[in-house]
Amino acid sequence: MPEITEKDYEIVVFTDDWFGLPFSCKHLLKHFLPDVHLVWVETIGLRSPRLNIYDAKRSFQKLKGWLSRENAEEEKPRPQNLKLIDPFQIPYNQFGFIRKLNAQLMIKCLNRQSPKQKRKRVFLTTWPFMGGVAGKIGDDLSIYYRVDDFAEFPGVNKPLIQKLEKGLIENVNMVVASAEKLADF
């Protein structure tokens, strides 16, 4: 079997922050490094910010990172062949026009900070609302890594999340589930 190298593939991941809480997507994909070029696009989550201390701190951290562009993450040690991208986004994905705007902002930022090379590009996301990006970044393969049933999260619009996830599933080449229960969609 031929060895897969960074010259062959680039995996572009749209998910949680690399330096955030530990999660399975990061755990799995870090094992591809340094052999495969990994572009990590940090995205905002499902729910809109509320008036509480946690959301205020998180909003401040994101704004600080977007405004400074000299992110603290850039100074933290990270594996070879990992590129972090943190595009400006508006945290109200329940609105269609904001999802479209966020998708355009993410694509523009990705194209500017990591233009497509001669490598095959793989799109991978863990978020059900990323259907507006799949197929639009020059990806040769698109994967939805279904890590949770996001429609069941408290405080989210269940019918909307189900609709967005269905659209994403129809738009990607492959769906991978982190648990057997999640393979039924």
mmCIF file of all heavy atoms in Angstrom, residues 84-128:
data_model
loop_
_atom_site.group_PDB
_atom_site.id
_atom_site.type_symbol
_atom_site.label_atom_id
_atom_site.label_comp_id
_atom_site.label_asym_id
_atom_site.label_seq_id
_atom_site.Cartn_x
_atom_site.Cartn_y
_atom_site.Cartn_z
ATOM 1 N N LEU A 84 -4.133 26.738 11.508
ATOM 2 C CA LEU A 84 -5.365 27.169 12.173
ATOM 3 C C LEU A 84 -5.910 28.415 11.494
ATOM 4 O O LEU A 84 -5.170 29.364 11.238
ATOM 5 C CB LEU A 84 -5.109 27.479 13.642
ATOM 6 C CG LEU A 84 -4.638 26.322 14.511
ATOM 7 C CD1 LEU A 84 -4.379 26.800 15.926
ATOM 8 C CD2 LEU A 84 -5.636 25.189 14.497
ATOM 9 N N ILE A 85 -7.202 28.400 11.216
ATOM 10 C CA ILE A 85 -7.877 29.554 10.632
ATOM 11 C C ILE A 85 -9.101 29.858 11.493
ATOM 12 O O ILE A 85 -9.880 28.958 11.803
ATOM 13 C CB ILE A 85 -8.298 29.268 9.174
ATOM 14 C CG1 ILE A 85 -7.057 29.013 8.315
ATOM 15 C CG2 ILE A 85 -9.120 30.417 8.611
ATOM 16 C CD1 ILE A 85 -7.362 28.641 6.880
ATOM 17 N N ASP A 86 -9.239 31.110 11.880
ATOM 18 C CA ASP A 86 -10.344 31.522 12.744
ATOM 19 C C ASP A 86 -11.072 32.692 12.083
ATOM 20 O O ASP A 86 -10.846 33.854 12.414
ATOM 21 C CB ASP A 86 -9.809 31.914 14.124
ATOM 22 C CG ASP A 86 -10.909 32.177 15.137
ATOM 23 O OD1 ASP A 86 -12.087 31.878 14.841
ATOM 24 O OD2 ASP A 86 -10.599 32.687 16.219
ATOM 25 N N PRO A 87 -11.955 32.404 11.123
ATOM 26 C CA PRO A 87 -12.632 33.486 10.399
ATOM 27 C C PRO A 87 -13.680 34.184 11.252
ATOM 28 O O PRO A 87 -14.282 33.582 12.135
ATOM 29 C CB PRO A 87 -13.292 32.759 9.222
ATOM 30 C CG PRO A 87 -13.479 31.365 9.701
ATOM 31 C CD PRO A 87 -12.365 31.082 10.666
ATOM 32 N N PHE A 88 -13.868 35.470 10.970
ATOM 33 C CA PHE A 88 -14.941 36.220 11.611
ATOM 34 C C PHE A 88 -16.278 35.589 11.243
ATOM 35 O O PHE A 88 -16.498 35.225 10.088
ATOM 36 C CB PHE A 88 -14.909 37.683 11.152
ATOM 37 C CG PHE A 88 -16.035 38.496 11.727
ATOM 38 C CD1 PHE A 88 -15.975 38.960 13.027
ATOM 39 C CD2 PHE A 88 -17.165 38.759 10.982
ATOM 40 C CE1 PHE A 88 -17.019 39.696 13.572
ATOM 41 C CE2 PHE A 88 -18.227 39.490 11.513
ATOM 42 C CZ PHE A 88 -18.143 39.956 12.807
ATOM 43 N N GLN A 89 -17.170 35.421 12.224
ATOM 44 C CA GLN A 89 -18.498 34.864 12.000
ATOM 45 C C GLN A 89 -19.489 35.533 12.947
ATOM 46 O O GLN A 89 -19.117 36.013 14.006
ATOM 47 C CB GLN A 89 -18.506 33.356 12.271
ATOM 48 C CG GLN A 89 -17.586 32.578 11.356
ATOM 49 C CD GLN A 89 -17.185 31.280 11.999
ATOM 50 O OE1 GLN A 89 -17.967 30.354 12.005
ATOM 51 N NE2 GLN A 89 -16.007 31.223 12.559
ATOM 52 N N ILE A 90 -20.722 35.512 12.555
ATOM 53 C CA ILE A 90 -21.798 36.077 13.373
ATOM 54 C C ILE A 90 -22.513 34.914 14.060
ATOM 55 O O ILE A 90 -22.949 33.979 13.384
ATOM 56 C CB ILE A 90 -22.774 36.892 12.498
ATOM 57 C CG1 ILE A 90 -22.005 38.017 11.794
ATOM 58 C CG2 ILE A 90 -23.924 37.446 13.333
ATOM 59 C CD1 ILE A 90 -22.775 38.710 10.695
ATOM 60 N N PRO A 91 -22.657 34.945 15.381
ATOM 61 C CA PRO A 91 -23.150 33.774 16.113
ATOM 62 C C PRO A 91 -24.673 33.597 16.148
ATOM 63 O O PRO A 91 -25.226 33.268 17.184
ATOM 64 C CB PRO A 91 -22.598 34.008 17.521
ATOM 65 C CG PRO A 91 -22.577 35.488 17.650
ATOM 66 C CD PRO A 91 -22.224 36.006 16.276
ATOM 67 N N TYR A 92 -25.321 33.777 15.037
ATOM 68 C CA TYR A 92 -26.778 33.609 15.003
ATOM 69 C C TYR A 92 -27.159 32.747 13.797
ATOM 70 O O TYR A 92 -27.876 33.183 12.900
ATOM 71 C CB TYR A 92 -27.486 34.968 14.985
ATOM 72 C CG TYR A 92 -27.278 35.705 16.286
ATOM 73 C CD1 TYR A 92 -26.247 36.630 16.429
ATOM 74 C CD2 TYR A 92 -28.077 35.434 17.391
ATOM 75 C CE1 TYR A 92 -26.033 37.272 17.633
ATOM 76 C CE2 TYR A 92 -27.861 36.079 18.587
ATOM 77 C CZ TYR A 92 -26.841 36.996 18.713
ATOM 78 O OH TYR A 92 -26.627 37.629 19.916
ATOM 79 N N ASN A 93 -26.660 31.508 13.801
ATOM 80 C CA ASN A 93 -26.864 30.594 12.672
ATOM 81 C C ASN A 93 -28.309 30.141 12.482
ATOM 82 O O ASN A 93 -28.612 29.469 11.507
ATOM 83 C CB ASN A 93 -25.954 29.378 12.803
ATOM 84 C CG ASN A 93 -24.592 29.634 12.216
ATOM 85 O OD1 ASN A 93 -24.475 30.260 11.166
ATOM 86 N ND2 ASN A 93 -23.561 29.162 12.882
ATOM 87 N N GLN A 94 -29.201 30.517 13.376
ATOM 88 C CA GLN A 94 -30.606 30.139 13.184
ATOM 89 C C GLN A 94 -31.248 30.928 12.046
ATOM 90 O O GLN A 94 -32.302 30.571 11.551
ATOM 91 C CB GLN A 94 -31.416 30.264 14.477
ATOM 92 C CG GLN A 94 -31.690 31.671 14.942
ATOM 93 C CD GLN A 94 -30.664 32.196 15.938
ATOM 94 O OE1 GLN A 94 -29.507 31.831 15.912
ATOM 95 N NE2 GLN A 94 -31.125 33.068 16.823
ATOM 96 N N PHE A 95 -30.585 32.003 11.622
ATOM 97 C CA PHE A 95 -31.102 32.825 10.532
ATOM 98 C C PHE A 95 -30.375 32.466 9.239
ATOM 99 O O PHE A 95 -29.146 32.507 9.170
ATOM 100 C CB PHE A 95 -30.923 34.316 10.840
ATOM 101 C CG PHE A 95 -31.607 34.751 12.109
ATOM 102 C CD1 PHE A 95 -30.867 35.117 13.219
ATOM 103 C CD2 PHE A 95 -32.996 34.775 12.190
ATOM 104 C CE1 PHE A 95 -31.490 35.512 14.393
ATOM 105 C CE2 PHE A 95 -33.628 35.170 13.360
ATOM 106 C CZ PHE A 95 -32.879 35.535 14.465
ATOM 107 N N GLY A 96 -31.156 32.150 8.202
ATOM 108 C CA GLY A 96 -30.597 31.714 6.931
ATOM 109 C C GLY A 96 -29.614 32.693 6.318
ATOM 110 O O GLY A 96 -28.561 32.294 5.821
ATOM 111 N N PHE A 97 -29.936 33.989 6.336
ATOM 112 C CA PHE A 97 -29.030 34.965 5.721
ATOM 113 C C PHE A 97 -27.711 35.047 6.481
ATOM 114 O O PHE A 97 -26.660 35.290 5.891
ATOM 115 C CB PHE A 97 -29.698 36.344 5.578
ATOM 116 C CG PHE A 97 -29.896 37.101 6.865
ATOM 117 C CD1 PHE A 97 -28.988 38.067 7.263
ATOM 118 C CD2 PHE A 97 -31.014 36.860 7.664
ATOM 119 C CE1 PHE A 97 -29.181 38.778 8.444
ATOM 120 C CE2 PHE A 97 -31.212 37.562 8.839
ATOM 121 C CZ PHE A 97 -30.293 38.520 9.232
ATOM 122 N N ILE A 98 -27.728 34.817 7.788
ATOM 123 C CA ILE A 98 -26.485 34.822 8.567
ATOM 124 C C ILE A 98 -25.678 33.557 8.280
ATOM 125 O O ILE A 98 -24.451 33.621 8.141
ATOM 126 C CB ILE A 98 -26.763 35.010 10.068
ATOM 127 C CG1 ILE A 98 -27.267 36.435 10.293
ATOM 128 C CG2 ILE A 98 -25.519 34.711 10.906
ATOM 129 C CD1 ILE A 98 -27.542 36.833 11.694
ATOM 130 N N ARG A 99 -26.337 32.402 8.138
ATOM 131 C CA ARG A 99 -25.620 31.179 7.757
ATOM 132 C C ARG A 99 -24.925 31.364 6.416
ATOM 133 O O ARG A 99 -23.766 30.972 6.239
ATOM 134 C CB ARG A 99 -26.569 29.976 7.683
ATOM 135 C CG ARG A 99 -26.852 29.318 8.989
ATOM 136 C CD ARG A 99 -27.544 27.975 8.815
ATOM 137 N NE ARG A 99 -28.694 27.996 7.934
ATOM 138 C CZ ARG A 99 -29.920 28.402 8.282
ATOM 139 N NH1 ARG A 99 -30.139 28.831 9.500
ATOM 140 N NH2 ARG A 99 -30.911 28.372 7.413
ATOM 141 N N LYS A 100 -25.631 31.961 5.457
ATOM 142 C CA LYS A 100 -25.037 32.204 4.134
ATOM 143 C C LYS A 100 -23.861 33.165 4.233
ATOM 144 O O LYS A 100 -22.815 32.952 3.612
ATOM 145 C CB LYS A 100 -26.088 32.732 3.162
ATOM 146 C CG LYS A 100 -27.076 31.682 2.732
ATOM 147 C CD LYS A 100 -28.132 32.259 1.801
ATOM 148 C CE LYS A 100 -29.173 31.183 1.485
ATOM 149 N NZ LYS A 100 -30.284 31.701 0.713
ATOM 150 N N LEU A 101 -24.031 34.229 4.997
ATOM 151 C CA LEU A 101 -22.948 35.193 5.181
ATOM 152 C C LEU A 101 -21.750 34.519 5.856
ATOM 153 O O LEU A 101 -20.603 34.683 5.419
ATOM 154 C CB LEU A 101 -23.423 36.390 6.009
ATOM 155 C CG LEU A 101 -22.351 37.430 6.348
ATOM 156 C CD1 LEU A 101 -21.767 38.044 5.078
ATOM 157 C CD2 LEU A 101 -22.935 38.500 7.260
ATOM 158 N N ASN A 102 -21.988 33.753 6.917
ATOM 159 C CA ASN A 102 -20.908 33.053 7.606
ATOM 160 C C ASN A 102 -20.197 32.081 6.668
ATOM 161 O O ASN A 102 -18.965 31.977 6.690
ATOM 162 C CB ASN A 102 -21.421 32.315 8.843
ATOM 163 C CG ASN A 102 -21.673 33.245 10.006
ATOM 164 O OD1 ASN A 102 -21.166 34.367 10.051
ATOM 165 N ND2 ASN A 102 -22.456 32.792 10.962
ATOM 166 N N ALA A 103 -20.953 31.362 5.837
ATOM 167 C CA ALA A 103 -20.338 30.433 4.874
ATOM 168 C C ALA A 103 -19.425 31.207 3.928
ATOM 169 O O ALA A 103 -18.285 30.793 3.672
ATOM 170 C CB ALA A 103 -21.408 29.675 4.099
ATOM 171 N N GLN A 104 -19.899 32.347 3.420
ATOM 172 C CA GLN A 104 -19.074 33.165 2.515
ATOM 173 C C GLN A 104 -17.820 33.679 3.225
ATOM 174 O O GLN A 104 -16.733 33.678 2.650
ATOM 175 C CB GLN A 104 -19.888 34.337 1.971
ATOM 176 C CG GLN A 104 -20.965 33.915 1.008
ATOM 177 C CD GLN A 104 -21.899 35.072 0.642
ATOM 178 O OE1 GLN A 104 -21.855 36.151 1.215
ATOM 179 N NE2 GLN A 104 -22.764 34.826 -0.338
ATOM 180 N N LEU A 105 -17.976 34.108 4.474
ATOM 181 C CA LEU A 105 -16.829 34.600 5.239
ATOM 182 C C LEU A 105 -15.804 33.489 5.466
ATOM 183 O O LEU A 105 -14.593 33.720 5.345
ATOM 184 C CB LEU A 105 -17.286 35.177 6.582
ATOM 185 C CG LEU A 105 -18.094 36.470 6.527
ATOM 186 C CD1 LEU A 105 -18.718 36.774 7.886
ATOM 187 C CD2 LEU A 105 -17.225 37.627 6.059
ATOM 188 N N MET A 106 -16.273 32.287 5.796
ATOM 189 C CA MET A 106 -15.361 31.160 6.023
ATOM 190 C C MET A 106 -14.638 30.771 4.738
ATOM 191 O O MET A 106 -13.429 30.532 4.742
ATOM 192 C CB MET A 106 -16.114 29.968 6.603
ATOM 193 C CG MET A 106 -16.473 30.145 8.065
ATOM 194 S SD MET A 106 -17.227 28.674 8.773
ATOM 195 C CE MET A 106 -18.932 28.951 8.351
ATOM 196 N N ILE A 107 -15.369 30.698 3.632
ATOM 197 C CA ILE A 107 -14.768 30.319 2.350
ATOM 198 C C ILE A 107 -13.737 31.360 1.928
ATOM 199 O O ILE A 107 -12.625 31.017 1.510
ATOM 200 C CB ILE A 107 -15.858 30.128 1.277
ATOM 201 C CG1 ILE A 107 -16.710 28.897 1.609
ATOM 202 C CG2 ILE A 107 -15.235 29.996 -0.111
ATOM 203 C CD1 ILE A 107 -18.001 28.794 0.801
ATOM 204 N N LYS A 108 -14.080 32.631 2.042
ATOM 205 C CA LYS A 108 -13.165 33.717 1.668
ATOM 206 C C LYS A 108 -11.899 33.668 2.523
ATOM 207 O O LYS A 108 -10.779 33.788 2.012
ATOM 208 C CB LYS A 108 -13.868 35.070 1.815
ATOM 209 C CG LYS A 108 -13.021 36.240 1.395
ATOM 210 C CD LYS A 108 -13.804 37.533 1.511
ATOM 211 C CE LYS A 108 -12.929 38.710 1.102
ATOM 212 N NZ LYS A 108 -13.643 39.977 1.197
ATOM 213 N N CYS A 109 -12.059 33.483 3.814
ATOM 214 C CA CYS A 109 -10.915 33.428 4.722
ATOM 215 C C CYS A 109 -10.043 32.209 4.403
ATOM 216 O O CYS A 109 -8.813 32.304 4.365
ATOM 217 C CB CYS A 109 -11.404 33.378 6.165
ATOM 218 S SG CYS A 109 -10.102 33.522 7.388
ATOM 219 N N LEU A 110 -10.662 31.072 4.170
ATOM 220 C CA LEU A 110 -9.918 29.859 3.816
ATOM 221 C C LEU A 110 -9.132 30.071 2.531
ATOM 222 O O LEU A 110 -7.938 29.758 2.459
ATOM 223 C CB LEU A 110 -10.872 28.669 3.658
ATOM 224 C CG LEU A 110 -10.243 27.377 3.122
ATOM 225 C CD1 LEU A 110 -9.244 26.801 4.109
ATOM 226 C CD2 LEU A 110 -11.320 26.363 2.787
ATOM 227 N N ASN A 111 -9.777 30.606 1.499
ATOM 228 C CA ASN A 111 -9.108 30.830 0.219
ATOM 229 C C ASN A 111 -7.949 31.812 0.337
ATOM 230 O O ASN A 111 -6.948 31.685 -0.359
ATOM 231 C CB ASN A 111 -10.101 31.308 -0.835
ATOM 232 C CG ASN A 111 -11.050 30.221 -1.256
ATOM 233 O OD1 ASN A 111 -10.765 29.029 -1.124
ATOM 234 N ND2 ASN A 111 -12.209 30.617 -1.755
ATOM 235 N N ARG A 112 -8.082 32.787 1.235
ATOM 236 C CA ARG A 112 -7.030 33.779 1.428
ATOM 237 C C ARG A 112 -5.864 33.191 2.240
ATOM 238 O O ARG A 112 -4.700 33.377 1.888
ATOM 239 C CB ARG A 112 -7.597 35.020 2.130
ATOM 240 C CG ARG A 112 -6.606 36.169 2.256
ATOM 241 C CD ARG A 112 -7.209 37.398 2.934
ATOM 242 N NE ARG A 112 -7.548 37.133 4.320
ATOM 243 C CZ ARG A 112 -8.797 37.076 4.803
ATOM 244 N NH1 ARG A 112 -9.834 37.262 4.021
ATOM 245 N NH2 ARG A 112 -9.018 36.834 6.075
ATOM 246 N N GLN A 113 -6.182 32.475 3.312
ATOM 247 C CA GLN A 113 -5.138 31.996 4.212
ATOM 248 C C GLN A 113 -4.559 30.642 3.823
ATOM 249 O O GLN A 113 -3.465 30.290 4.248
ATOM 250 C CB GLN A 113 -5.666 31.951 5.650
ATOM 251 C CG GLN A 113 -5.936 33.324 6.200
ATOM 252 C CD GLN A 113 -6.271 33.281 7.679
ATOM 253 O OE1 GLN A 113 -5.785 32.443 8.415
ATOM 254 N NE2 GLN A 113 -7.109 34.210 8.111
ATOM 255 N N SER A 114 -5.307 29.875 3.048
ATOM 256 C CA SER A 114 -4.822 28.556 2.640
ATOM 257 C C SER A 114 -5.383 28.210 1.268
ATOM 258 O O SER A 114 -6.261 27.350 1.136
ATOM 259 C CB SER A 114 -5.237 27.499 3.677
ATOM 260 O OG SER A 114 -4.653 26.262 3.358
ATOM 261 N N PRO A 115 -4.884 28.882 0.221
ATOM 262 C CA PRO A 115 -5.409 28.593 -1.116
ATOM 263 C C PRO A 115 -5.172 27.134 -1.495
ATOM 264 O O PRO A 115 -4.208 26.522 -1.048
ATOM 265 C CB PRO A 115 -4.617 29.540 -2.024
ATOM 266 C CG PRO A 115 -3.558 30.153 -1.197
ATOM 267 C CD PRO A 115 -3.811 29.842 0.228
ATOM 268 N N LYS A 116 -6.075 26.603 -2.305
ATOM 269 C CA LYS A 116 -5.969 25.195 -2.685
ATOM 270 C C LYS A 116 -4.674 24.960 -3.453
ATOM 271 O O LYS A 116 -4.341 25.685 -4.376
ATOM 272 C CB LYS A 116 -7.162 24.755 -3.525
ATOM 273 C CG LYS A 116 -7.058 23.270 -3.854
ATOM 274 C CD LYS A 116 -8.305 22.665 -4.365
ATOM 275 C CE LYS A 116 -7.993 21.193 -4.620
ATOM 276 N NZ LYS A 116 -9.033 20.456 -5.166
ATOM 277 N N GLN A 117 -3.977 23.928 -3.039
ATOM 278 C CA GLN A 117 -2.740 23.511 -3.688
ATOM 279 C C GLN A 117 -3.059 22.408 -4.693
ATOM 280 O O GLN A 117 -4.215 22.166 -4.998
ATOM 281 C CB GLN A 117 -1.742 23.006 -2.632
ATOM 282 C CG GLN A 117 -1.496 23.975 -1.492
ATOM 283 C CD GLN A 117 -0.771 25.228 -1.913
ATOM 284 O OE1 GLN A 117 0.222 25.156 -2.631
ATOM 285 N NE2 GLN A 117 -1.257 26.382 -1.485
ATOM 286 N N LYS A 118 -2.037 21.731 -5.135
ATOM 287 C CA LYS A 118 -2.238 20.623 -6.070
ATOM 288 C C LYS A 118 -2.696 19.356 -5.356
ATOM 289 O O LYS A 118 -2.965 18.358 -5.989
ATOM 290 C CB LYS A 118 -0.955 20.361 -6.850
ATOM 291 C CG LYS A 118 -0.624 21.503 -7.784
ATOM 292 C CD LYS A 118 0.608 21.223 -8.594
ATOM 293 C CE LYS A 118 0.879 22.440 -9.474
ATOM 294 N NZ LYS A 118 2.066 22.264 -10.287
ATOM 295 N N ARG A 119 -2.802 19.421 -4.050
ATOM 296 C CA ARG A 119 -3.259 18.270 -3.270
ATOM 297 C C ARG A 119 -4.753 18.048 -3.478
ATOM 298 O O ARG A 119 -5.477 18.967 -3.821
ATOM 299 C CB ARG A 119 -3.039 18.509 -1.780
ATOM 300 C CG ARG A 119 -1.659 18.837 -1.379
ATOM 301 C CD ARG A 119 -1.653 19.133 0.133
ATOM 302 N NE ARG A 119 -0.397 19.680 0.524
ATOM 303 C CZ ARG A 119 -0.189 20.958 0.826
ATOM 304 N NH1 ARG A 119 -1.188 21.809 0.811
ATOM 305 N NH2 ARG A 119 0.994 21.377 1.154
ATOM 306 N N LYS A 120 -5.196 16.836 -3.210
ATOM 307 C CA LYS A 120 -6.631 16.577 -3.160
ATOM 308 C C LYS A 120 -7.129 17.172 -1.846
ATOM 309 O O LYS A 120 -6.515 17.008 -0.809
ATOM 310 C CB LYS A 120 -6.911 15.080 -3.227
ATOM 311 C CG LYS A 120 -6.559 14.488 -4.564
ATOM 312 C CD LYS A 120 -6.946 13.033 -4.602
ATOM 313 C CE LYS A 120 -6.413 12.415 -5.852
ATOM 314 N NZ LYS A 120 -7.344 12.285 -6.902
ATOM 315 N N ARG A 121 -8.256 17.856 -1.908
ATOM 316 C CA ARG A 121 -8.786 18.524 -0.727
ATOM 317 C C ARG A 121 -9.990 17.751 -0.205
ATOM 318 O O ARG A 121 -10.915 17.450 -0.944
ATOM 319 C CB ARG A 121 -9.170 19.956 -1.063
ATOM 320 C CG ARG A 121 -9.655 20.748 0.134
ATOM 321 C CD ARG A 121 -9.896 22.188 -0.208
ATOM 322 N NE ARG A 121 -8.723 22.974 0.161
ATOM 323 C CZ ARG A 121 -8.668 24.300 0.077
ATOM 324 N NH1 ARG A 121 -9.683 24.988 -0.397
ATOM 325 N NH2 ARG A 121 -7.582 24.943 0.440
ATOM 326 N N VAL A 122 -9.962 17.467 1.084
ATOM 327 C CA VAL A 122 -11.049 16.778 1.770
ATOM 328 C C VAL A 122 -11.732 17.768 2.705
ATOM 329 O O VAL A 122 -11.079 18.396 3.527
ATOM 330 C CB VAL A 122 -10.522 15.559 2.572
ATOM 331 C CG1 VAL A 122 -11.652 14.887 3.331
ATOM 332 C CG2 VAL A 122 -9.806 14.571 1.660
ATOM 333 N N PHE A 123 -13.037 17.919 2.553
ATOM 334 C CA PHE A 123 -13.852 18.745 3.449
ATOM 335 C C PHE A 123 -14.373 17.819 4.540
ATOM 336 O O PHE A 123 -14.892 16.731 4.259
ATOM 337 C CB PHE A 123 -15.031 19.338 2.667
ATOM 338 C CG PHE A 123 -16.140 19.890 3.524
ATOM 339 C CD1 PHE A 123 -16.131 21.215 3.922
ATOM 340 C CD2 PHE A 123 -17.200 19.086 3.917
ATOM 341 C CE1 PHE A 123 -17.169 21.726 4.700
ATOM 342 C CE2 PHE A 123 -18.231 19.583 4.698
ATOM 343 C CZ PHE A 123 -18.212 20.911 5.094
ATOM 344 N N LEU A 124 -14.245 18.234 5.801
ATOM 345 C CA LEU A 124 -14.783 17.462 6.919
ATOM 346 C C LEU A 124 -15.384 18.428 7.922
ATOM 347 O O LEU A 124 -14.763 19.440 8.258
ATOM 348 C CB LEU A 124 -13.673 16.636 7.584
ATOM 349 C CG LEU A 124 -14.153 15.652 8.641
ATOM 350 C CD1 LEU A 124 -13.330 14.378 8.581
ATOM 351 C CD2 LEU A 124 -14.123 16.237 10.024
ATOM 352 N N THR A 125 -16.585 18.125 8.375
ATOM 353 C CA THR A 125 -17.211 18.952 9.414
ATOM 354 C C THR A 125 -17.912 18.080 10.438
ATOM 355 O O THR A 125 -18.333 16.963 10.137
ATOM 356 C CB THR A 125 -18.213 19.961 8.818
ATOM 357 O OG1 THR A 125 -18.642 20.856 9.862
ATOM 358 C CG2 THR A 125 -19.423 19.291 8.204
ATOM 359 N N THR A 126 -18.021 18.623 11.635
ATOM 360 C CA THR A 126 -18.814 17.985 12.684
ATOM 361 C C THR A 126 -20.106 18.753 12.934
ATOM 362 O O THR A 126 -20.921 18.325 13.742
ATOM 363 C CB THR A 126 -18.022 17.919 14.012
ATOM 364 O OG1 THR A 126 -17.692 19.254 14.417
ATOM 365 C CG2 THR A 126 -16.761 17.093 13.863
ATOM 366 N N TRP A 127 -20.277 19.888 12.259
ATOM 367 C CA TRP A 127 -21.439 20.735 12.495
ATOM 368 C C TRP A 127 -22.524 20.486 11.449
ATOM 369 O O TRP A 127 -22.243 20.512 10.261
ATOM 370 C CB TRP A 127 -21.053 22.213 12.464
ATOM 371 C CG TRP A 127 -20.224 22.669 13.619
ATOM 372 C CD1 TRP A 127 -18.974 23.196 13.562
ATOM 373 C CD2 TRP A 127 -20.581 22.654 15.000
ATOM 374 N NE1 TRP A 127 -18.539 23.523 14.815
ATOM 375 C CE2 TRP A 127 -19.509 23.192 15.726
ATOM 376 C CE3 TRP A 127 -21.708 22.232 15.701
ATOM 377 C CZ2 TRP A 127 -19.521 23.321 17.103
ATOM 378 C CZ3 TRP A 127 -21.722 22.369 17.083
ATOM 379 C CH2 TRP A 127 -20.642 22.910 17.764
ATOM 380 N N PRO A 128 -23.779 20.336 11.866
ATOM 381 C CA PRO A 128 -24.862 20.046 10.917
ATOM 382 C C PRO A 128 -25.266 21.228 10.040
ATOM 383 O O PRO A 128 -25.980 21.041 9.061
ATOM 384 C CB PRO A 128 -26.024 19.628 11.821
ATOM 385 C CG PRO A 128 -25.765 20.293 13.131
ATOM 386 C CD PRO A 128 -24.266 20.337 13.255
#
